[in-house]
Amino acid sequence: MSLPAVVPAPASIEAGSGAPFRLTSATSVSADADAATALAAILTARAGLTPAHAEGSADVELRIAGGGAPESYRIAVDEASVVVTGADAAGLFYGVQTLGQLVARDGGEWILPAIAIDDAPRFAYRGVMLDVARHFHGIDTVKGYIDRAASLKFNALHLHLTDDQGWRIQLDSRPELTEKASGTAIGGDPGGFYTKDDYRAIVEYAASRHMIVVPEVDMPGHTHAVGLAYPELAEDPVISDHMREIVDVYGGGALPEPGVPFEALAVGFSSLKIHDEATYDFVADVFGELAAMTPGPYLHFGGDESLATADDDFAYFVTRVSALIADLGKTPVAWHEAGSAKDIADTTIGQYWGYVTPQDGFAAKAQTFVDNGAGLILSPADAIYLDMKYPSGPELGLTWANGPTSVQDAYSWEPAEVVPGVGDAGILGVEAPLWTETIRTAADIDTMVFPRIAAAAEAGWSPRTGESDLRTWESFRSRVGALGPLWTSMGIGFHPSEEIPWVTE
């Protein structure tokens, strides 16, 4: 008997020998309100059924029973009943997401196959990143992305809130940032920003889906927008011959100018003033206020592509800023380049964005965070940067990361084999970034993210490659193809990659 399609692949799944459970309009559900609401949303979209809520015994029981690993769950389905048991509220939520994937059509009826699933995540951190600086994306789009990511058991939303092209978060301590530096985006598109109420709403919505928000304010590079609001804090753009080449290829010929909004794609020309105490007053204001707004444990301070900052100055800056964030009671996060600073705060988590096969000394920089005992988030750019072009399909996306990136490329890597010598113990988790140089709309997000986001989900949640019969490309492409009808019913406009054998109904 073939197994039903579940993505990400569960730790254990066994098909039952009995008849399936048949879903009808009379099916009753016993659960806490949040789990019942999540299941009702899936069943309504997928099968047009709205289950009845029951206080006592019911056909479908959704319950929490302690004792299992965090976020773990079990599913038992037979002809007479359905029981989903979570070790905690998050585990129950993820069990409901899996249950939704099991819903299938049998002739004119909707069923759940007889099945037993015992599941838990491999890594504690499973993130997606949305860049809202290059193109701004409003609160409704962000909420939609949260829903989509949570359905695949991601538990962190990293928001890239600032870059050369715009500042996207309101801060009472520094109002000029949104007054003077939020109105533009790449290509002259309109900008925007989140008010503090908007940000609070995003954080609360994410929490209702068992996700934390990881805000990123990128520095000391990627800070041209800061200079629009506070010119005294920013160095003039550094335009080297190499930068001119980059601007010519990627930036439409537009060179950055002090005090002028930057609407092109080039990177690496900006820097804060490293040896001015006013800079650190600014940093303290920004992260102090952001810490108070963010209940999650992490504050991301960027640290990537600081090509206009001298190496010694960069090390001084990231060492000081990481300590400042740690003193706020938060865990600093930085892109792997910050690992060049050997005195960086020991608690700093590194985020590796190099290739699946490390180049240019990136592995050594990433190793710093592991040596300090803090660990790494893996985001290999040539595998799970979701903004890379597909081999064929839409014109959206870029190609610099060994692109185009196929769905098979996105799947065929093993986290414990990226940075030499860094296995599961040194890996906090996996994160799939979506940079938005070419991504303007919610529809663009769906097209670029699905189906490749499912590969990142499996890398973060499922057993290690080779430890499960399901952890193969052939299994994955078949299971993803079977989810096409569910994604369509949920309003997800996925790219119909020719690599995937899509099921239609």
Side-chain angles (χ1 to χ4, degrees):
M1 181 181 296
S2 62
L3 293 169
V6 176
V7 180
S12 172
I13 180 170
E14 296 181 6
S17 58
F21 179 89
R22 302 196 178 279
L23 293 160
T24 72
S25 58
T27 299
S28 59
V29 176
S30 174
D32 68 88
D34 289 343
T37 299
L39 179 58
I42 297 171
L43 291 181
T44 300
R46 180 75 177 101
L49 298 173
T50 302
H53 180 69
E55 293 297 335
S57 62
D59 304 312
V60 179
E61 292 187 27
L62 310 179
R63 61 196 187 195
I64 296 173
E71 302 181 295
S72 65
Y73 68 91
R74 298 190 305 275
I75 294 177
V77 179
D78 59 29
E79 184 177 6
S81 66
V82 178
V83 179
V84 183
T85 305
D88 49 27
L92 182 58
F93 177 83
Y94 297 137
V96 166
Q97 301 306 313
T98 296
L99 196 68
Q101 293 183 359
L102 297 175
V103 175
R105 192 191 296 274
D106 181 17
E109 295 183 300
W110 292 97
I111 64 165
L112 292 167
I115 202 81
I117 296 175
D118 197 341
D119 201 7
R122 176 181 177 186
F123 295 118
Y125 183 100
R126 305 173 307 280
V128 292
M129 190 213 77
L130 181 61
D131 167 19
V132 296
R134 271 55 176 273
H135 279 104
F136 181 68
H137 295 274
I139 187 170
D140 289 341
T141 297
V142 175
K143 287 181 175 180
Y145 197 38
I146 289 169
D147 284 336
R148 285 153 168 73
S151 73
L152 291 169
K153 304 181 177 66
F154 287 98
N155 64 2
L157 172 66
H158 170 183
L159 285 176
H160 184 78
L161 291 166
T162 68
D163 216 297
D164 293 312
Q165 295 84 359
W167 184 281
R168 308 302 185 199
I169 184 69
Q170 178 190 37
L171 297 176
D172 294 336
S173 61
R174 298 283 177 161
E176 290 91 344
L177 290 166
T178 45
E179 290 172 4
K180 299 179 179 179
S182 67
T184 55
I186 280 181
D189 286 6
F193 65 92
Y194 304 119
T195 66
K196 296 185 80 169
D197 285 343
D198 289 338
Y199 184 76
R200 184 181 304 109
I202 289 170
V203 168
E204 291 175 352
Y205 193 83
S208 74
R209 272 67 175 167
H210 302 279
M211 297 181 75
I212 60 169
V213 172
V214 181
E216 180 189 357
V217 174
D218 204 352
M219 54 180 65
H222 291 272
T223 47
H224 186 81
V226 174
L228 302 181
Y230 298 98
E232 69 276 12
L233 301 179
E235 300 285 5
D236 287 346
V238 174
I239 312 298
S240 63
D241 289 341
H242 176 61
M243 183 57 58
R244 291 178 187 278
E245 180 181 348
I246 293 173
V247 170
D248 185 55
V249 173
Y250 294 107
L255 294 170
E257 301 178 42
V260 178
F262 184 68
E263 300 175 353
L265 277 70
V267 299
F269 56 84
S270 57
S271 180
L272 297 177
K273 292 184 176 179
I274 304 300
H275 296 288
D276 191 328
E277 284 302 307
T279 294
Y280 300 96
D281 292 339
F282 170 81
V283 173
D285 286 345
V286 168
F287 283 111
E289 193 165 346
L290 203 56
M293 296 162 59
T294 305
Y298 305 115
L299 294 181
H300 202 308
F301 68 93
D304 61 315
E305 298 174 321
S306 295
L307 307 181
T309 309
D311 290 348
D312 288 348
D313 288 350
F314 177 77
Y316 174 82
F317 181 88
V318 300
T319 297
R320 189 164 172 181
V321 172
S322 63
L324 183 154
I325 292 173
D327 287 345
L328 290 169
K330 295 293 187 179
T331 299
V333 185
W335 298 104
H336 69 253
E337 290 99 317
S340 62
K342 298 305 179 183
D343 294 325
I344 195 168
D346 286 348
T347 56
T348 308
I349 300 293
Q351 185 165 2
Y352 173 83
W353 62 266
Y355 294 168
V356 169
T357 300
Q359 298 175 323
D360 302 324
F362 285 1
K365 294 175 182 178
Q367 184 69 46
T368 297
F369 304 98
V370 180
D371 291 344
N372 287 343
L376 288 174
I377 297 167
L378 295 177
S379 300
D382 55 345
I384 56 171
Y385 264 35
L386 301 175
D387 52 291
M388 291 296 107
K389 283 184 181 290
Y390 290 97
S392 61
E395 289 302 309
L396 298 169
L398 302 175
T399 59
W400 63 264
N402 280 343
T405 301
S406 67
V407 183
Q408 186 171 6
D409 290 335
Y411 188 78
S412 299
W413 66 287
E414 163 51 45
E417 297 176 359
V418 173
V419 179
V422 177
D424 283 24
I427 300 171
L428 179 64
V430 171
E431 181 178 289
L434 179 67
W435 303 98
T436 61
E437 288 92 340
T438 68
I439 312 301
R440 290 179 164 86
T441 67
D444 290 346
I445 291 174
D446 274 0
T447 297
M448 296 304 288
V449 165
F450 285 85
R452 291 182 297 189
I453 190 175
E458 193 142 307
W461 178 280
S462 301
R464 178 179 175 138
T465 306
E467 292 183 354
S468 167
D469 291 342
L470 298 181
R471 284 289 275 126
T472 68
W473 163 242
E474 287 303 320
S475 169
F476 175 78
R477 65 191 290 267
S478 176
R479 286 181 284 115
V480 165
L483 294 184
L486 173 62
W487 287 351
T488 298
S489 69
M490 301 299 288
I492 298 172
F494 60 89
H495 170 54
S497 168
E498 67 277 5
E499 298 173 76
I500 305 299
W502 298 103
V503 172
T504 60
E505 288 184 349

